[in-house]
Amino acid sequence: MKKLAVVNGKIIDVEKGSILQKNLFIEDGKIVEVSEKEPDNSWEILDASDCYVAPGIFDMHVHLRDPGYEYKEDINTGLRAAVEGGVTRVAAMPNTNPVNDNISVTEYMIEKAEALFLAELYPIAAITMGQKGETLTEMGLLAEAGAVGFSDDGLPVENAEVMRRALEYASLFDKPIIAHEEDKNLSGDGVINEGRISTLMGLPGIPSTAEEAMIARDVLLAGYTGGKLHICHVSTKGSVEIIRWAKKRGIPVTAEAAIHHLTLTEEDLYKAGYNTNFKMNPPLRTEEDIDALYKGLADGTIDAIVTDHAPHSKSDKEVEFDKAPFGIIGLQTLLPLSLRLWKENILTLPELFKKLAYNPARILNIPGGSIKVGEPAYITVFNMEKYTFTEGMILSKSKNSPFIGWKLEGKKKFIIVKDKVL
Ligand SMILES: [Zn+2]
């Protein structure tokens, strides 16, 4: 029997909303005690002096590029970056090659991740075959094989009738539809937020309505069908308002924001020049949008904070701005950038880890996410060390981060993934 005792740390209790100076006891991957008791010599002691002991970060929106695009990232390098960033679990999007629309891909991802003994991987399977937006996948078989939800992320489900059927079908297996919300007719060939900056830079814009119109449609469909809808990477003020309205009406909707949308605006993109590491979809928005996202986090409209970790190689990204692919990496900067929300009094530490750990597990309907007796042990132990984030620190195969050179605060000391200490 493996017995771990995490001692001298400050434990973040997300359910009670408090921070406790206590010791944490784990046996065979399960939390068995949280108390002031000192462990005897039958326990392996892990010292967490000057550290916070938090529920393990669960990043429910990552792209690991494996199978098919291993030159950008693979399951091994992606999960190593996760561990280094203090992330104990990730949910991986299906836009691989082949697409995760059949159980052979789902099983491949799970088996490869399990053999590595790193962070845990939970596959999200596609809503439609080949993410083409036409024919629904075999959701029952995929759920049985281990898919925790369904998404065509990277692309919207354009046909409302297909989305309606997807919500109905996924609800039979109690899985969420995880929606990339974008009206492609409105976003067109846009590459950054439409507004003052797109005019200044002479780049085609993506209007905020491209996201909002699709969210409005999908919350109505969720309300009509009763199917669970989770909305990816919310980036605009209007989106927050629509989701708040939907939640008030009792529609089964949850939402996430990507950490870069909570950190950067289009002004930062402008200052950085035509740097493709500031190009993502949805695009960086305005100060007003960030303020609305903060309010949405604080009042519970936005349930989760994610990375949307999207590795792209140097050769992919080092092209003209409008030709570069969308997306940036984020697994190793999620923790310190999220801690800024605490430092800036937008969320308390327990509230923050509700968004980083507890709620993602609830949304995907899987155990863990709280430091409580009987729960599986997913733990992130971190301190408030200050450091400069350098390209040399990046364990991902791709280095496409706008945060290189940033002075950050908050670093993982170790994580616990059931009975593994990493
Ligand atoms: Zn997306």
Side-chain angles (χ1 to χ4, degrees):
M1 198 183 289
K2 188 152 184 187
K3 296 171 76 180
L4 303 169
V6 182
V7 301
N8 302 325
K10 293 185 276 283
I11 292 180
I12 299 174
D13 185 331
V14 293
E15 291 185 69
K16 293 203 182 88
S18 53
I19 295 170
L20 315 155
Q21 185 76 49
K22 283 191 178 167
N23 296 333
L24 165 65
F25 298 86
I26 295 161
E27 267 186 52
D28 281 339
K30 266 210 159 101
I31 297 169
V32 293
E33 191 173 341
V34 183
S35 74
E36 272 140 40
K37 192 181 88 181
E38 292 299 323
D40 62 27
N41 59 16
S42 68
W43 298 85
E44 182 187 328
I45 310 252
L46 302 163
D47 185 34
S49 298
D50 303 317
C51 289
Y52 289 96
V53 179
I57 297 174
F58 189 165
D59 183 356
M60 64 176 291
H61 189 149
V62 305
H63 300 269
L64 296 182
R65 308 299 191 206
D66 183 357
Y69 305 101
E70 291 89 347
Y71 71 99
K72 294 175 193 266
E73 189 82 292
D74 62 34
I75 289 172
N76 180 27
T77 55
L79 294 183
R80 273 177 207 286
V83 169
E84 189 63 19
V87 175
T88 57
R89 304 194 272 181
V90 301
M93 287 297 182
N95 59 340
T96 47
N97 186 16
V99 168
N100 183 11
D101 60 9
N102 65 86
I103 61 166
S104 63
V105 179
T106 309
E107 285 169 351
Y108 160 81
M109 290 168 85
I110 292 172
E111 281 163 24
K112 185 162 178 186
E114 275 177 359
L116 291 167
F117 298 99
L118 294 166
E120 286 185 356
L121 183 161
Y122 296 81
I124 295 169
I127 298 171
T128 63
M129 295 305 293
Q131 295 190 296
K132 290 194 167 73
E134 293 159 6
T135 313
L136 295 183
T137 54
E138 291 277 5
M139 292 184 183
L141 294 176
L142 288 159
E144 218 169 275
V148 293
F150 300 95
S151 181
D152 278 356
D153 184 49
L155 296 166
V157 176
E158 293 188 69
N159 183 323
E161 165 67 5
V162 173
M163 189 52 132
R164 176 206 170 156
R165 297 294 169 208
L167 283 160
E168 286 170 345
Y169 192 29
S171 71
L172 297 179
F173 316 104
D174 201 24
K175 302 288 178 213
I177 291 292
I178 299 168
H180 171 110
E181 305 288 20
E182 178 184 357
D183 184 319
K184 282 273 184 194
N185 295 310
L186 285 170
S187 56
D189 55 4
V191 293
I192 65 171
N193 184 49
E194 182 172 286
R196 193 177 67 87
I197 301 292
S198 65
T199 308
L200 272 173
M201 294 180 82
L203 291 169
I206 301 173
S208 52
T209 47
E211 176 177 317
E212 293 154 2
M214 210 62 154
I215 292 178
R217 183 199 78 174
D218 286 349
V219 297
L220 293 175
L221 289 171
Y224 189 72
T225 59
K228 276 191 209 162
L229 173 69
H230 176 74
I231 296 171
C232 288
H233 39 56
V234 171
S235 74
T236 79
K237 182 181 176 192
S239 300
V240 175
E241 285 167 355
I242 295 162
I243 296 161
R244 185 179 287 127
W245 172 87
K247 285 191 166 191
K248 270 199 191 119
R249 288 179 65 124
I251 292 171
V253 57
T254 54
E256 68 186 32
I259 189 62
H260 47 261
H261 289 130
L262 299 168
T263 311
L264 300 170
T265 66
E266 59 176 9
E267 301 286 338
D268 297 297
L269 160 78
Y270 181 57
K271 277 182 222 143
Y274 294 81
N275 181 341
T276 57
N277 289 339
F278 288 75
K279 180 179 176 183
M280 60 282 279
N281 188 17
L284 296 173
R285 305 286 191 181
T286 67
E287 206 64 53
E288 201 187 353
D289 293 305
I290 281 210
D291 285 342
L293 292 174
Y294 289 166
K295 288 198 182 88
L297 282 171
D299 74 6
T301 302
I302 295 172
D303 303 274
I305 299 171
V306 302
T307 59
D308 193 4
H309 179 80
H312 290 294
S313 73
K314 280 226 153 85
S315 60
D316 292 330
K317 275 285 199 184
E318 282 178 1
V319 294
E320 279 171 66
F321 195 90
D322 50 357
K323 295 203 176 68
F326 292 103
I328 60 166
I329 56 168
L331 283 164
Q332 288 177 249
T333 42
L334 175 63
L335 173 66
L337 294 176
S338 295
L339 289 166
R340 287 158 54 104
L341 300 170
W342 165 49
K343 290 271 164 177
E344 288 163 21
N345 294 317
I346 290 147
L347 295 171
T348 65
L349 265 187
E351 283 167 352
L352 177 62
F353 279 88
K354 230 176 180 176
K355 317 271 181 201
L356 288 170
Y358 182 83
N359 289 345
R362 297 295 159 298
I363 292 163
L364 299 174
N365 199 15
I366 44 190
S370 182
I371 300 181
K372 199 165 80 174
V373 172
E375 291 271 314
Y378 298 103
I379 308 292
T380 298
V381 178
F382 66 94
N383 60 26
M384 294 306 291
E385 187 186 322
K386 290 184 180 149
Y387 57 100
T388 301
F389 186 63
T390 63
E391 186 167 325
M393 291 177 183
I394 296 175
L395 298 187
S396 284
K397 279 189 194 170
S398 297
K399 317 294 177 191
N400 52 316
S401 168
F403 303 112
I404 293 167
W406 275 44
K407 291 198 169 32
L408 299 176
E409 192 174 355
K411 204 170 203 181
K412 160 243 181 185
K413 184 120 183 258
F414 59 89
I415 63 171
I416 297 173
V417 180
K418 290 190 173 153
D419 59 359
K420 300 181 292 244
V421 182
L422 302 165

